[in-house]
Structures are given as C-alpha cells and as structure tokens.
Amino acid sequence: MTPRLSPPSRDLTKSNAQFQRAVQRLPLGVSSSFRYWGDDRTVYVARGKGGRTWDIDGNAYVDYRLGYGPAILGYADDRVDAAARKGMEVGGVFALSTERELIVADRIAKMVPAAELVRFSNSGTEAVMAALRLARAHTGREEYLLVEGGYHGLFDAAMWMADMEGWTPGSNGDPEMVPYGKGIPQTVKKLAHLVPMNDLQRLEDTFKQHGDRMAAMLIEPIQGNCCGISARRDYVQLARDLCDRYGVLLIIDEVKTGFRVGKGGIQGLLGIRPDITTFAKAVANGYPIALVAGREDVMRSFRFGGASHGGTYTAHSVSLAAAEECLRILDETPALVTLASYGEALKSGISGILNARGIAHSFSGHASMFGIFFAEEAPDNYRDWKVSDYSFYDRMAYYLHDLGVIVEPDSREPWFMCEAHGTEASCLTDTLKAVELAVDLTLQDQADGTLDAAE
Ligand SMILES: Cc1ncc(COP(=O)(O)O)c(C=O)c1O
C-alpha cells in the first residue's frame, strides 16, 4: 500500500496579519480583486527577482503569473531598471513630447509591420478603450464584435462575456451574454455582439446580420485570460476577409501576446495584418506603458475633430526609457527563444509526470504562455473548457502555491514564461518537483472524493 501523503504547509503568518490590517483600509485587502485569494491565503509580496517572488513570510516561489505577463525578462531586470533610472532623470511628464517617443515607435514599427503609426497609453484597458473609440470615429459606427472567452480590460464596452457557469454543454442554445459584474449599464449591451471562437459559420452569419453596423471586431487570437485557447489561422483569416467585406476594422488585442509569442506578436505568427493592434504588458518588462498602433489612415483619425486620445501620464519618461531597453533586448537578443524553449521543456516535464500516472492532458496557447487541460484535446473555444476537468487543475494549483510555485488559481489563466526562468539555475527542477507532488496530492484527494470541495 502506498503511504498517504501529508498536505504541505506554508507559513503565511505575516501575510495573514497584513491581510487583517489591510482589509480595514483596502477593499478585500488588495488593489485588484483578483489578488484576493481568501482571508488566509492572500499573499503579500516582499520582492521579485528574475523568475521568482518572495512573500513577506520569506516563502520563495517560482512565479508563472509574472504579474499576468509583463515581466517578460524577469522581475527587476538589471538592464531595464538601469534604463528606467535614467528615464527618471528626464523628469517624468511635461504635457509636452520627448524625442524618445519616436525612437520607441520606430522600434515597434520595425518589429510589427502593421504598426504603421503608434500612440502611447498607460494600461491595456486604456489602449483597448482608445482602439475601440478610434474604430468608431473612423467608421462612424457604434456596434462591435467580441469573441467568447476574450478579455479586453475593465471598461464597460468590453465587460460583456458568455455566461459559461450558467450554460449547459451540449445544449442547443448559446450562453447568455452577461456583464462581468454590477455597475455596467445594460444600455451598453445592445452595441455588443458575441461569437464562439473558431466557428466559421457563426462568424459569417453574425457579419451578415450586424456587419453593416459594426465598427470593429476585437480578437485575442491566443486568449490570454481563457486558458490560452487559440484561434485557428483560417478563423482569423475569415475575420480579416469579413472585416474587409463589411468595412469593419479588425482589432487584434496583443496586450498579452505582444512582444511575447514572437517579435511580431501573434499577428506575425499567423501572417494576418490587423487594422489596429493594442499592446501593453511585455512592452517595458512591467513598467506601465501601452500602445495603440495600426494602419496610417485609421490612426490619423486621432486628431482634433476626430477621435480624442491623451492622458496626463502617457509616454512617461520612466516607462518610455524602460520600453526602449526592453524592446531592444527582445528585438536584438534571443530572449524570446530562451523563454519559449523553457516553456517547451516545462511542458515536456509536466507531460512526463502526468503520462506516468495515466492522466489525460493537453496544452493550449504558445510555449511562452500556455494553458494546461485535463482532457485529451485542448479546447478550441471557451465552451469546451466547461467539459474539461478543471477541478483537478484548481486543486493542483492550490497545492502548488504551498509547494513554492505561483500559478493562477483559476485554470483559465495561462502560465507565463520569462527569460530568467530559462537562464536561472533550478527553476525547472524546482517546478517539476513541486508539480509531481501536487499531482499526487490531487490524485489522493480525487481518490478520497474531496476534489469538488471548495478550497
Ligand atoms: C488581452 C488583454 N487586453 C486588455 C487587458 C487589460 O490590460 P490592463 O490590465 O493593463 O488594463 C488585458 C489584461 O490582462 C488583456 O489580457
């Protein structure tokens, strides 16, 4: 008989005490609701370096959330931080322009040919919001199309999703389109349309029905908030063709994939040219900066009498200097190859562990940001996720935290790789050791019949 495994324990005394203090002043004790992991599991970070994070209790983690992707090179990268310090000496923001804006925009246009013109924003949300406004200004239309499982930030127009919790797999009907939460006006809903990913017929039908009134189609060809579910090339090509036919602008949201899955983003890998692209996350290794970029005639609608765009902090000298250095590294060194190779090695190590235990699984997305599924085949769209064994993932993730590996507790968030994972000693071996034990503990819970219990 195999001996029973004891669940790992982690000392979170200081984090728990911090939570009790913080919750008096900060809603849920945090600054983003997704950082709240329960009253006794919410982690407060002391620092990050490379591919690792340390919490205030001194627990070390190999980190695959990387702040939801920005730390493409690793936390506190010496090269980018040195550049940012120089950027600080410039003086911040002036409500005037600096020369470095053009230097960074030139680099972006070189790496992403569709980025003919570039505008800077501060966050992914701001960039997508500006992109949609630009599309509306350019086309004179108001409606727009979203893809089920996509995420485009926290602004009202983008906060409509397929209600997968309330949907029954195999039913003939579509999941209902619901807001992400309260506070989103119902009046916005009538402008949004939602289609399932990779369903060519549905895409064509939706354009037939609404195409003449739509300003834009927004798509993340690798869904960075939905398991890395990926659009097939023929689907994105059809989207491109339909947009052309109906005068709709194609917005590829590369907030997560940009400067991560390849120098030219997912659009480069697919060979499909959008009208507008949004970037954020990896642009400056975590310094807050984002971009709207695209076709010259469209981008020139950012003008007086056209689409408004601006913001006190746009093109801040610190973020801009960090972006210049980060993009230089991504463009001129093999950093992206290093991190993708690490991702491949990690996937293969995880597969070895799962295969040895006869556990069906698959991976989605790209080696630099992949989802893990406990199903034979990776899902083709969000509806397929509902039939995968996500309770196995959820429990495994719970144990991984205790074992020193940070992944998102929700199976819909992919694992992110950084250059430092690939160059630092022992990230891979530490992770695989933890995965092996987490899988065995989860199997034990499954055998005990406790897997579906809430954490
Ligand atoms: C594809 C995509 N678009 C937009 C956003 C919003 O970006 P931010 O959180 O910087 O506002 C995100 C954030 O995760 C994202 O993944």
Side-chain angles (χ1 to χ4, degrees), residues 36-226:
Y36 170 76
W37 289 359
D39 290 11
D40 57 352
R41 308 258 313 169
T42 294
V43 170
Y44 290 86
V45 172
R47 67 186 184 96
K49 182 72 187 165
R52 294 180 196 259
T53 297
W54 288 262
D55 68 23
I56 58 174
D57 285 283
N59 300 301
Y61 306 90
V62 184
D63 191 337
Y64 294 104
R65 285 169 83 251
L66 297 176
Y68 290 140
I72 187 82
L73 302 171
Y75 293 114
D77 182 85
D78 292 338
R79 299 158 294 181
V80 177
D81 287 356
R85 269 183 217 106
K86 287 219 165 105
M88 211 172 287
E89 288 163 17
V90 175
V93 284
F94 308 94
L96 290 170
S97 301
T98 60
E99 288 178 314
R100 192 168 268 138
E101 290 161 40
L102 178 57
I103 296 170
V104 177
D106 280 345
R107 173 76 74 177
I108 289 157
K110 171 178 173 265
M111 294 171 83
V112 187
E116 293 171 12
L117 264 63
V118 174
R119 262 293 169 106
F120 294 98
S121 280
N122 300 301
S123 68
T125 297
E126 271 185 44
V128 183
M129 202 158 43
L132 183 57
R133 186 180 316 117
L134 177 68
R136 284 168 158 165
H138 192 78
T139 59
R141 302 172 181 177
E142 293 195 349
E143 296 180 25
Y144 55 97
L145 184 59
L146 303 168
V147 179
E148 288 176 11
Y151 175 76
H152 302 287
L154 294 174
F155 66 106
D156 291 351
M159 293 176 75
W160 294 93
M161 62 175 191
D163 177 21
M164 222 41 83
E165 316 291 330
W167 180 75
T168 315
S171 72
N172 286 330
D174 289 327
E176 200 192 336
M177 182 162 74
V178 293
Y180 276 54
K182 294 197 172 163
I184 300 157
Q186 279 292 325
T187 47
V188 179
K189 183 177 181 176
K190 63 179 187 300
L191 300 176
H193 305 285
L194 202 52
V195 282
M197 178 85 107
N198 289 324
D199 186 332
L200 303 182
Q201 192 57 54
R202 285 296 299 275
L203 188 63
E204 193 134 15
D205 293 347
T206 306
F207 269 85
K208 253 188 219 144
Q209 221 184 331
H210 308 286
D212 291 338
R213 294 187 307 280
M214 291 191 321
M217 173 174 180
L218 275 130
I219 183 168
E220 275 178 281
I222 297 179
Q223 297 190 315
N225 305 269
C226 197

Side-chain angles (χ1 to χ4, degrees), residues 54 67 85 384 413 431:
W54 288 262
R85 269 183 217 106
D384 294 343
E413 185 73 20
T431 306

